[in-house]
Amino acid sequence: MGCSSSAVVAKQVLVEGILIEDRRSDFTTLLEAFQACYPDDLGMLRDSQRLATVSAQLVSSRSVKHGGLISLPQLVRPMSFPDFVNWAVKNGVILPLGLPETPQKTS
């Protein structure tokens, strides 16, 4: 008797010289990813370990244009949402911001 097996080929991405397995991200927007880092009451990220986890999940997902070295954000000071978006754009993350639309004023 034989046994059947199936091979799964995992996609990998290079992050700061380390190969990370491709994991699908559940994030549909950058705002969701930012909020997953648990910002404080002032909207600032202070937990570097959580930031690194979420960032690695983002860069190893299919929501990133692969093709170069991707760097994880450095949390040397609290990080704001605009800083997080700037890091994401520089690293090819292709998710919408996720900010609510402002209603158009009618005169």
Side-chain angles (χ1 to χ4, degrees):
M1 288 197 155
C3 61
S4 63
S5 65
S6 61
V8 176
V9 178
K11 192 174 184 181
Q12 297 178 329
V13 63
L14 188 63
V15 179
E16 295 186 351
I18 301 169
L19 282 176
I20 296 178
E21 293 296 319
D22 182 4
R23 292 171 283 170
R24 286 199 178 244
S25 166
D26 291 336
F27 305 122
T28 58
T29 68
L30 290 174
L31 184 59
E32 285 178 8
F34 181 79
Q35 290 171 337
C37 296
Y38 306 125
D40 62 17
D41 292 340
L42 299 175
M44 303 296 280
L45 302 181
R46 298 176 192 279
D47 184 344
S48 58
Q49 185 174 13
R50 184 70 184 155
L51 176 61
T53 300
V54 170
S55 299
Q57 187 178 6
L58 273 175
V59 299
S60 66
S61 73
R62 293 195 173 110
S63 58
V64 173
K65 294 183 229 173
H66 296 291
L69 181 66
I70 297 169
S71 65
L72 296 176
Q74 300 299 314
L75 194 60
V76 293
R77 61 179 172 77
M79 180 181 276
S80 67
F81 182 62
D83 293 336
F84 183 78
V85 170
N86 188 39
W87 166 83
V89 168
K90 285 182 180 178
N91 284 280
V93 177
I94 50 173
L95 290 175
L97 290 178
L99 298 175
E101 290 189 32
T102 307
Q104 297 294 325
K105 291 184 180 180
T106 57
S107 319

XYZ file of all heavy atoms in Angstrom:
812
model
N 0.841 -1.185 0.000
C 0.000 0.000 0.000
C 0.878 1.238 0.000
O 1.849 1.282 0.717
C -0.879 0.055 1.236
C -1.995 -0.917 1.261
S -3.163 -0.385 2.492
C -4.554 -1.162 1.815
N 0.455 2.195 -0.730
C 1.178 3.455 -0.759
C 0.402 4.524 -0.027
O -0.750 4.342 0.330
N 1.057 5.571 0.222
C 0.368 6.697 0.837
C 0.466 7.880 -0.104
O 1.431 8.024 -0.834
C 0.936 7.032 2.209
S 2.657 7.490 2.182
N -0.550 8.681 -0.084
C -0.528 9.849 -0.955
C -0.088 11.057 -0.150
O -0.365 11.159 1.040
C -1.905 10.091 -1.574
O -2.828 10.380 -0.566
N 0.582 11.916 -0.806
C 0.998 13.150 -0.143
C 0.875 14.284 -1.139
O 0.904 14.073 -2.337
C 2.433 13.046 0.371
O 3.319 12.909 -0.715
N 0.721 15.442 -0.616
C 0.672 16.608 -1.495
C 1.730 17.583 -1.035
O 1.937 17.762 0.155
C -0.714 17.252 -1.468
O -1.015 17.683 -0.171
N 2.387 18.158 -1.977
C 3.430 19.123 -1.660
C 2.858 20.521 -1.803
O 2.160 20.820 -2.758
C 4.614 18.955 -2.594
N 3.159 21.348 -0.838
C 2.752 22.741 -0.885
C 4.011 23.572 -1.043
O 4.948 23.438 -0.263
C 2.006 23.151 0.411
C 1.686 24.629 0.382
C 0.756 22.314 0.588
N 4.031 24.353 -2.080
C 5.184 25.214 -2.309
C 4.886 26.558 -1.674
O 3.931 27.231 -2.030
C 5.463 25.375 -3.816
C 6.632 26.315 -4.040
C 5.713 24.026 -4.456
N 5.683 26.914 -0.716
C 5.469 28.179 -0.012
C 6.295 29.268 -0.671
O 7.454 29.066 -1.002
C 5.864 28.044 1.450
N 5.680 30.398 -0.867
C 6.373 31.560 -1.397
C 7.128 32.209 -0.241
O 6.661 32.211 0.889
C 5.349 32.532 -1.977
C 5.933 33.630 -2.800
C 4.803 34.412 -3.436
C 5.333 35.466 -4.356
N 4.256 36.232 -4.956
N 8.294 32.726 -0.511
C 9.087 33.367 0.526
C 9.442 34.778 0.096
O 9.519 35.079 -1.082
C 10.368 32.577 0.796
C 10.098 31.189 1.326
C 11.370 30.418 1.548
O 12.364 30.601 0.849
N 11.361 29.543 2.525
N 9.665 35.628 1.090
C 10.073 37.006 0.830
C 11.278 37.305 1.721
O 11.372 36.792 2.836
C 8.908 37.989 1.083
C 8.472 37.979 2.521
C 9.272 39.395 0.644
N 12.193 38.099 1.212
C 13.391 38.459 1.956
C 13.132 39.736 2.747
O 12.800 40.772 2.185
C 14.554 38.686 0.985
C 15.931 38.892 1.602
C 16.374 37.647 2.363
C 16.937 39.231 0.519
N 13.242 39.651 4.067
C 13.039 40.797 4.938
C 14.288 40.966 5.779
O 14.596 40.121 6.617
C 11.806 40.619 5.857
C 11.636 41.815 6.764
C 10.555 40.395 5.039
N 15.009 42.034 5.534
C 16.246 42.329 6.247
C 17.171 41.117 6.303
O 17.706 40.758 7.347
C 15.942 42.870 7.643
C 15.238 44.214 7.584
C 15.042 44.884 8.927
O 15.299 44.260 9.963
O 14.636 46.045 8.918
N 17.323 40.448 5.146
C 18.236 39.323 5.052
C 17.679 38.009 5.572
O 18.387 37.023 5.612
N 16.413 37.976 5.972
C 15.799 36.765 6.508
C 14.650 36.372 5.597
O 13.802 37.205 5.257
C 15.268 36.997 7.936
C 16.409 37.428 8.856
C 14.567 35.756 8.469
C 15.939 37.939 10.195
N 14.596 35.114 5.199
C 13.481 34.628 4.394
C 12.291 34.352 5.300
O 12.409 33.653 6.295
C 13.857 33.347 3.644
C 14.700 33.531 2.404
C 15.084 32.180 1.820
C 13.985 34.362 1.369
N 11.157 34.930 4.955
C 9.933 34.744 5.728
C 8.930 34.036 4.836
O 8.754 34.401 3.676
C 9.358 36.096 6.203
C 10.336 36.764 7.162
C 8.004 35.916 6.856
C 9.877 38.118 7.640
N 8.269 33.020 5.389
C 7.255 32.296 4.632
C 6.084 33.217 4.309
O 5.714 34.078 5.101
C 6.730 31.096 5.430
C 7.749 30.000 5.643
C 8.194 29.346 4.351
O 7.352 29.102 3.475
O 9.394 29.086 4.233
N 5.498 33.000 3.147
C 4.328 33.762 2.718
C 3.135 33.350 3.576
O 2.751 32.200 3.616
C 4.050 33.466 1.249
C 2.875 34.244 0.702
O 2.309 35.071 1.432
O 2.525 34.023 -0.460
N 2.598 34.290 4.296
C 1.395 34.065 5.083
C 0.357 35.060 4.621
O 0.631 36.250 4.549
C 1.678 34.283 6.580
C 2.585 33.239 7.152
C 2.972 33.642 8.533
N 3.988 34.686 8.398
C 4.424 35.418 9.392
N 3.936 35.272 10.575
N 5.348 36.330 9.195
N -0.825 34.592 4.331
C -1.868 35.514 3.904
C -2.237 36.438 5.051
O -2.435 36.010 6.165
C -3.092 34.758 3.427
C -2.869 34.135 2.086
C -4.192 33.825 1.466
N -3.957 33.270 0.171
C -4.351 33.852 -0.930
N -4.997 34.973 -0.902
N -4.109 33.292 -2.086
N -2.329 37.671 4.723
C -2.716 38.675 5.697
C -4.225 38.858 5.638
O -4.807 38.845 4.566
C -2.015 39.991 5.360
O -2.582 41.050 6.067
N -4.834 38.994 6.778
C -6.269 39.256 6.810
C -6.555 40.745 6.673
O -7.708 41.150 6.683
C -6.879 38.751 8.121
C -6.876 37.234 8.191
O -6.850 36.586 7.130
O -6.909 36.695 9.309
N -5.523 41.545 6.572
C -5.708 42.984 6.503
C -6.178 43.383 5.105
O -5.607 42.981 4.106
C -4.415 43.722 6.825
C -3.817 43.327 8.149
C -2.541 42.816 8.221
C -4.547 43.475 9.319
C -1.991 42.453 9.440
C -4.002 43.110 10.538
C -2.723 42.598 10.596
N -7.222 44.192 5.072
C -7.695 44.698 3.787
C -7.310 46.155 3.598
O -7.429 46.678 2.497
C -9.226 44.552 3.658
O -9.848 45.244 4.732
C -9.633 43.082 3.686
N -6.875 46.821 4.678
C -6.437 48.216 4.594
C -5.235 48.427 5.505
O -4.982 47.647 6.419
C -7.548 49.194 5.028
O -7.784 49.036 6.440
C -8.835 48.985 4.244
N -4.526 49.507 5.252
C -3.408 49.873 6.126
C -3.902 50.262 7.514
O -3.228 50.008 8.510
C -2.597 51.003 5.505
C -1.788 50.618 4.269
C -1.134 51.846 3.657
C -0.749 49.569 4.612
N -5.082 50.864 7.587
C -5.624 51.238 8.888
C -5.881 50.004 9.747
O -5.578 50.009 10.940
C -6.906 52.061 8.728
C -7.522 52.595 10.016
C -6.534 53.490 10.769
C -8.806 53.359 9.727
N -6.392 48.931 9.152
C -6.594 47.684 9.905
C -5.267 47.150 10.436
O -5.185 46.706 11.577
C -7.246 46.622 9.024
C -8.702 46.828 8.755
C -9.262 45.753 7.834
O -8.556 44.765 7.519
O -10.419 45.909 7.429
N -4.246 47.185 9.608
C -2.931 46.703 10.029
C -2.385 47.570 11.159
O -1.842 47.058 12.146
C -1.963 46.690 8.848
N -2.534 48.881 11.020
C -2.066 49.803 12.056
C -2.789 49.536 13.373
O -2.166 49.462 14.433
C -2.290 51.250 11.598
C -1.822 52.296 12.565
C -0.478 52.622 12.651
C -2.720 52.962 13.385
C -0.036 53.594 13.546
C -2.287 53.931 14.277
C -0.942 54.241 14.351
N -4.095 49.356 13.310
C -4.875 49.107 14.525
C -4.521 47.767 15.160
O -4.628 47.613 16.374
C -6.370 49.190 14.222
C -6.804 50.607 13.927
C -8.225 50.717 13.404
O -8.777 49.766 12.855
N -8.816 51.897 13.564
N -4.058 46.807 14.368
C -3.631 45.519 14.903
C -2.349 45.645 15.730
O -2.002 44.737 16.477
C -3.426 44.522 13.773
N -1.674 46.774 15.596
C -0.466 47.034 16.386
C -0.799 47.662 17.739
O 0.099 47.992 18.505
C 0.478 47.966 15.628
S 1.126 47.269 14.110
N -2.088 47.823 18.020
C -2.576 48.368 19.280
C -2.031 49.763 19.593
O -1.275 49.938 20.548
C -2.273 47.432 20.453
C -2.772 46.037 20.255
C -1.915 44.952 20.362
C -4.101 45.787 19.948
C -2.363 43.663 20.175
C -4.561 44.495 19.757
C -3.692 43.438 19.874
O -4.132 42.166 19.684
N -2.405 50.759 18.793
C -1.957 52.121 19.110
C -2.547 52.574 20.441
O -3.612 52.108 20.856
C -2.507 52.953 17.946
C -3.617 52.156 17.371
C -3.292 50.715 17.632
N -1.845 53.491 21.103
C -2.332 54.006 22.377
C -3.460 55.010 22.154
O -3.920 55.203 21.028
C -1.188 54.617 23.192
C -0.531 55.807 22.507
O -1.123 56.393 21.571
O 0.587 56.163 22.916
N -3.908 55.637 23.226
C -5.021 56.584 23.132
C -4.726 57.784 22.240
O -5.637 58.447 21.769
C -5.407 57.087 24.535
C -6.016 55.983 25.374
O -6.489 54.983 24.801
O -6.014 56.116 26.611
N -3.462 58.063 22.013
C -3.074 59.178 21.154
C -2.838 58.726 19.711
O -2.411 59.516 18.873
C -1.816 59.852 21.698
C -1.946 60.444 23.106
C -0.596 60.973 23.580
C -2.987 61.550 23.118
N -3.092 57.446 19.430
C -2.914 56.932 18.078
C -1.465 56.676 17.708
O -1.105 56.727 16.532
N -0.641 56.383 18.702
C 0.782 56.146 18.458
C 1.132 54.696 18.790
O 0.638 54.137 19.765
C 1.632 57.082 19.323
C 1.340 58.559 19.123
S 1.708 59.139 17.470
C 3.464 59.339 17.589
N 1.990 54.104 17.955
C 2.474 52.750 18.208
C 3.698 52.818 19.098
O 4.622 53.583 18.836
C 2.831 52.057 16.898
C 1.725 51.937 15.862
C 2.240 51.208 14.635
C 0.511 51.261 16.436
N 3.701 51.980 20.142
C 4.832 51.955 21.064
C 5.383 50.535 21.272
O 6.453 50.369 21.826
C 4.430 52.539 22.409
C 4.017 53.992 22.301
C 3.529 54.549 23.638
N 2.877 55.832 23.464
C 3.501 56.992 23.336
N 4.813 57.036 23.354
N 2.823 58.108 23.180
N 4.626 49.523 20.845
C 5.006 48.127 21.041
C 5.790 47.636 19.829
O 5.211 47.268 18.812
C 3.741 47.290 21.258
C 4.019 45.832 21.572
O 5.155 45.358 21.336
O 3.087 45.156 22.053
N 7.115 47.633 19.932
C 7.957 47.291 18.779
C 7.794 45.828 18.369
O 7.868 45.513 17.179
C 9.421 47.601 19.075
O 9.851 46.897 20.212
N 7.545 44.952 19.320
C 7.383 43.545 18.976
C 6.094 43.321 18.173
O 6.091 42.614 17.174
C 7.367 42.689 20.236
C 7.329 41.216 19.944
C 7.472 40.389 21.203
O 7.359 40.888 22.315
N 7.727 39.104 21.027
N 5.019 43.962 18.586
C 3.752 43.832 17.862
C 3.870 44.466 16.471
O 3.374 43.930 15.492
C 2.624 44.482 18.668
C 1.269 44.312 18.058
C 0.807 42.877 18.138
N -0.466 42.762 17.445
C -0.924 41.665 16.908
N -0.250 40.550 17.019
N -2.072 41.650 16.289
N 4.539 45.602 16.387
C 4.752 46.269 15.108
C 5.545 45.365 14.162
O 5.203 45.234 12.984
C 5.472 47.603 15.306
C 5.840 48.373 14.049
C 4.603 48.738 13.240
C 6.625 49.626 14.422
N 6.576 44.733 14.673
C 7.389 43.837 13.843
C 6.565 42.641 13.360
O 6.676 42.234 12.197
C 8.603 43.358 14.629
N 5.707 42.096 14.231
C 4.867 40.962 13.851
C 3.900 41.332 12.743
O 3.779 40.629 11.727
C 4.092 40.442 15.079
O 5.025 40.021 16.071
C 3.181 39.294 14.714
N 3.195 42.444 12.915
C 2.223 42.885 11.904
C 2.935 43.255 10.607
O 2.483 42.904 9.521
C 1.367 44.051 12.438
C 0.537 44.684 11.325
C 0.462 43.572 13.566
N 4.065 43.935 10.701
C 4.816 44.333 9.506
C 5.309 43.114 8.743
O 5.223 43.065 7.512
C 5.995 45.216 9.898
O 5.535 46.373 10.538
N 5.821 42.121 9.456
C 6.286 40.899 8.801
C 5.124 40.188 8.129
O 5.263 39.648 7.032
C 6.967 39.984 9.812
N 3.961 40.213 8.767
C 2.775 39.601 8.168
C 2.393 40.349 6.885
O 2.050 39.733 5.886
C 1.626 39.603 9.157
C 0.421 38.841 8.675
C -0.697 38.802 9.695
O -0.624 39.434 10.740
N -1.743 38.071 9.385
N 2.476 41.661 6.918
C 2.159 42.454 5.726
C 3.131 42.177 4.587
O 2.708 41.946 3.454
C 2.203 43.948 6.049
C 0.948 44.593 6.585
C 1.236 46.038 6.960
C -0.180 44.525 5.580
N 4.416 42.216 4.870
C 5.397 42.077 3.795
C 5.480 40.658 3.275
O 5.930 40.445 2.155
C 6.803 42.587 4.187
C 6.766 44.049 4.534
C 7.410 41.773 5.300
N 5.027 39.678 4.043
C 5.067 38.306 3.558
C 3.748 37.898 2.908
O 3.613 36.793 2.416
C 5.406 37.344 4.695
O 4.374 37.325 5.649
N 2.792 38.806 2.882
C 1.496 38.506 2.273
C 1.528 38.839 0.794
O 2.486 39.405 0.279
C 0.388 39.297 2.965
O 0.455 40.656 2.594
N 0.459 38.540 0.137
C 0.385 38.841 -1.290
C -0.024 40.282 -1.547
O -0.257 40.665 -2.679
C -0.582 37.871 -1.952
C -0.029 36.475 -1.926
C -0.753 35.572 -2.869
N -0.066 34.298 -2.902
C -0.554 33.195 -2.388
N -1.727 33.194 -1.812
N 0.129 32.079 -2.456
N -0.131 41.080 -0.517
C -0.513 42.479 -0.702
C 0.716 43.374 -0.869
O 0.652 44.565 -0.689
C -1.362 42.955 0.480
O -0.648 42.800 1.685
N 1.839 42.756 -1.209
C 3.094 43.493 -1.381
C 3.669 43.185 -2.749
O 3.668 42.042 -3.194
C 4.112 43.090 -0.282
C 5.462 43.714 -0.535
C 3.599 43.476 1.078
N 4.145 44.221 -3.423
C 4.871 44.036 -4.672
C 6.259 43.525 -4.301
O 7.052 44.254 -3.712
C 5.017 45.361 -5.421
C 3.742 45.946 -5.920
C 4.072 47.203 -6.702
C 3.190 48.322 -6.246
N 3.519 49.612 -6.808
N 6.536 42.274 -4.604
C 7.843 41.705 -4.273
C 8.868 42.129 -5.313
O 8.531 42.487 -6.419
C 7.753 40.183 -4.213
C 6.854 39.694 -3.118
N 7.167 39.820 -1.801
C 5.634 39.124 -3.170
C 6.192 39.321 -1.072
N 5.243 38.895 -1.879
N 10.102 42.052 -4.939
C 11.122 42.348 -5.925
C 12.353 43.001 -5.333
O 13.277 43.323 -6.040
N 12.431 43.182 -4.061
C 13.605 43.796 -3.487
C 13.680 43.524 -2.006
O 12.852 42.828 -1.443
N 14.670 44.064 -1.402
C 14.834 43.917 0.036
C 13.799 44.784 0.735
O 13.647 45.967 0.431
C 16.239 44.345 0.457
C 16.544 44.223 1.940
C 16.538 42.753 2.350
C 17.886 44.838 2.249
N 13.087 44.196 1.641
C 12.053 44.908 2.391
C 12.577 45.100 3.807
O 13.152 44.202 4.395
C 10.753 44.088 2.403
C 10.235 43.940 0.971
C 9.711 44.735 3.279
C 9.123 42.947 0.826
N 12.373 46.279 4.346
C 12.858 46.535 5.700
C 11.684 46.683 6.658
O 10.659 47.261 6.312
C 13.725 47.799 5.728
O 12.938 48.918 5.414
N 11.862 46.155 7.845
C 10.853 46.317 8.880
C 11.004 47.701 9.483
O 12.108 48.248 9.543
C 11.017 45.245 9.957
C 10.785 43.812 9.479
C 11.064 42.836 10.607
C 9.387 43.625 8.947
N 9.891 48.295 9.923
C 9.994 49.638 10.497
C 10.771 49.622 11.803
O 10.691 48.668 12.570
C 8.538 50.044 10.722
C 7.765 48.792 10.741
C 8.519 47.792 9.931
N 11.519 50.661 12.020
C 12.272 50.818 13.265
C 11.476 51.705 14.209
O 11.096 52.812 13.838
C 13.640 51.438 12.977
C 14.492 50.614 12.037
C 14.800 49.231 12.593
O 15.162 49.097 13.753
N 14.628 48.220 11.768
N 11.233 51.227 15.401
C 10.444 51.983 16.372
C 11.400 52.644 17.365
O 11.611 52.166 18.462
C 9.447 51.061 17.079
C 8.338 51.728 17.862
C 7.477 52.610 16.960
C 7.453 50.692 18.525
N 12.024 53.736 16.931
C 12.936 54.473 17.802
C 12.184 55.538 18.595
O 12.692 56.061 19.577
C 14.097 55.116 17.012
C 14.992 54.029 16.432
C 13.581 56.024 15.916
N 10.994 55.849 18.120
C 10.082 56.750 18.815
C 8.681 56.266 18.490
O 8.503 55.459 17.578
C 10.290 58.195 18.360
C 10.044 58.424 16.887
C 10.248 59.890 16.487
N 10.200 60.079 15.066
C 9.097 60.098 14.326
N 7.926 59.939 14.891
N 9.147 60.276 13.031
N 7.675 56.698 19.201
C 6.321 56.260 18.859
C 6.003 56.545 17.392
O 6.399 57.570 16.846
C 5.436 57.087 19.797
C 6.314 57.379 20.961
C 7.685 57.556 20.387
N 5.315 55.607 16.750
C 5.009 55.731 15.327
C 3.547 56.108 15.128
O 2.658 55.483 15.686
C 5.310 54.409 14.610
C 5.028 54.446 13.123
S 5.367 52.861 12.306
C 7.114 53.026 12.025
N 3.325 57.106 14.286
C 1.972 57.548 13.956
C 1.474 56.794 12.719
O 2.243 56.124 12.029
C 1.966 59.050 13.669
O 2.703 59.311 12.488
N 0.192 56.938 12.421
C -0.361 56.315 11.216
C 0.321 56.838 9.949
O 0.676 56.039 9.081
C -1.887 56.505 11.161
C -2.530 55.850 9.978
C -2.470 54.470 9.803
C -3.202 56.592 9.033
C -3.054 53.853 8.697
C -3.800 55.987 7.932
C -3.726 54.614 7.773
N 0.542 58.159 9.811
C 1.258 58.622 8.605
C 2.660 58.006 8.472
O 3.086 57.684 7.361
C 1.328 60.141 8.784
C 0.135 60.461 9.620
C 0.015 59.298 10.576
N 3.365 57.818 9.580
C 4.681 57.166 9.528
C 4.547 55.718 9.055
O 5.354 55.226 8.265
C 5.356 57.175 10.903
C 5.743 58.563 11.367
O 5.934 59.461 10.524
O 5.844 58.751 12.594
N 3.520 55.033 9.549
C 3.265 53.645 9.175
C 2.945 53.559 7.678
O 3.461 52.689 6.975
C 2.107 53.097 10.016
C 1.803 51.648 9.778
C 2.593 50.658 10.341
C 0.710 51.272 9.014
C 2.306 49.312 10.137
C 0.411 49.935 8.800
C 1.207 48.950 9.366
N 2.117 54.472 7.186
C 1.771 54.507 5.762
C 3.019 54.776 4.930
O 3.242 54.128 3.894
C 0.677 55.558 5.482
C 0.481 55.781 3.984
C -0.640 55.156 6.144
N 3.859 55.695 5.361
C 5.098 56.008 4.653
C 5.982 54.764 4.548
O 6.526 54.462 3.484
C 5.830 57.152 5.355
C 7.012 57.646 4.570
O 6.960 57.737 3.351
N 8.080 57.981 5.274
N 6.137 54.032 5.646
C 6.920 52.795 5.624
C 6.295 51.805 4.628
O 7.004 51.189 3.829
C 6.977 52.167 7.025
C 7.467 50.760 6.957
C 8.759 50.343 6.894
C 6.661 49.580 6.857
N 8.809 48.974 6.757
C 7.529 48.487 6.741
C 5.289 49.343 6.851
C 7.078 47.176 6.631
C 4.832 48.036 6.736
C 5.718 46.979 6.625
N 4.962 51.659 4.679
C 4.273 50.704 3.811
C 4.479 51.046 2.335
O 4.774 50.159 1.513
C 2.785 50.666 4.153
N 4.341 52.313 1.982
C 4.509 52.744 0.593
C 5.938 52.469 0.121
O 6.154 51.942 -0.973
C 4.132 54.230 0.431
C 4.558 54.773 -0.918
C 2.637 54.424 0.645
N 6.919 52.791 0.951
C 8.330 52.569 0.582
C 8.642 51.094 0.387
O 9.582 50.749 -0.320
C 9.257 53.138 1.653
C 9.351 54.632 1.629
C 10.316 55.126 2.686
C 10.412 56.628 2.662
N 11.307 57.133 3.724
N 7.862 50.223 1.032
C 8.114 48.788 0.952
C 7.129 48.053 0.049
O 7.038 46.838 0.090
C 8.131 48.182 2.352
C 9.413 48.518 3.058
O 10.426 47.891 2.837
N 9.386 49.542 3.886
N 6.385 48.802 -0.761
C 5.559 48.193 -1.779
C 4.261 47.564 -1.302
O 3.681 46.747 -2.006
N 3.793 47.918 -0.110
C 2.511 47.389 0.357
C 1.412 48.044 -0.476
O 1.351 49.265 -0.587
C 2.297 47.677 1.860
C 0.933 47.190 2.318
C 3.401 47.037 2.692
N 0.563 47.218 -1.074
C -0.448 47.741 -1.991
C -1.853 47.545 -1.413
O -2.688 46.862 -1.984
C -0.331 47.098 -3.388
C -0.261 45.583 -3.285
C 0.854 47.643 -4.133
C -0.317 44.855 -4.613
N -2.095 48.153 -0.285
C -3.411 48.141 0.350
C -3.943 49.566 0.399
O -3.170 50.519 0.542
C -3.319 47.601 1.783
C -3.018 46.120 1.953
C -2.850 45.788 3.426
C -4.106 45.276 1.338
N -5.261 49.734 0.326
C -5.818 51.078 0.479
C -5.626 51.573 1.913
O -5.423 50.768 2.831
C -7.301 50.896 0.149
C -7.578 49.448 0.309
C -6.284 48.726 0.069
N -5.697 52.881 2.080
C -5.531 53.452 3.420
C -6.591 52.960 4.391
O -6.289 52.627 5.528
C -5.571 54.979 3.369
C -4.389 55.675 2.725
C -4.607 57.171 2.701
C -3.098 55.334 3.451
N -7.834 52.965 3.973
C -8.912 52.530 4.841
C -9.533 53.637 5.667
O -10.253 53.372 6.626
N -9.249 54.875 5.285
C -9.848 56.007 5.987
C -11.239 56.246 5.448
O -11.483 56.111 4.246
C -8.982 57.249 5.823
C -7.575 57.165 6.382
C -6.793 58.418 6.039
C -7.618 56.948 7.884
N -12.171 56.626 6.330
C -13.522 56.916 5.829
C -13.489 58.116 4.891
O -12.700 59.032 5.062
C -14.317 57.224 7.094
C -13.321 57.441 8.167
C -12.027 56.829 7.749
N -14.350 58.049 3.895
C -14.418 59.161 2.954
C -15.085 60.359 3.599
O -16.003 60.210 4.401
C -15.195 58.745 1.711
C -14.429 57.748 0.872
C -15.102 57.495 -0.452
O -15.740 58.425 -0.985
O -14.986 56.375 -0.943
N -14.606 61.524 3.236
C -15.207 62.760 3.732
C -16.369 63.127 2.827
O -16.208 63.173 1.601
C -14.160 63.893 3.702
O -13.000 63.470 4.400
C -14.708 65.155 4.333
N -17.532 63.366 3.415
C -18.663 63.746 2.560
C -18.386 65.069 1.858
O -17.761 65.969 2.417
C -19.829 63.881 3.525
C -19.310 63.637 4.881
C -17.851 63.317 4.805
N -18.808 65.150 0.626
C -18.633 66.381 -0.139
C -19.621 67.433 0.346
O -20.778 67.130 0.591
C -18.861 66.102 -1.632
C -17.870 65.128 -2.225
C -16.470 65.682 -2.247
O -16.270 66.872 -2.436
N -15.489 64.816 -2.029
N -19.123 68.639 0.502
C -19.996 69.743 0.918
C -20.834 70.178 -0.270
O -20.335 70.293 -1.384
C -19.176 70.933 1.415
C -18.481 70.664 2.710
C -17.773 71.909 3.190
C -17.073 71.645 4.508
N -16.381 72.835 4.999
N -22.079 70.401 -0.012
C -22.954 70.922 -1.062
C -23.346 72.333 -0.696
O -23.622 72.642 0.457
C -24.216 70.049 -1.216
O -24.887 69.974 0.031
C -23.843 68.665 -1.708
N -23.329 73.184 -1.663
C -23.646 74.592 -1.382
C -25.052 74.900 -1.796
O -25.578 74.467 -2.738
C -22.738 75.544 -2.122
O -21.433 75.125 -2.119
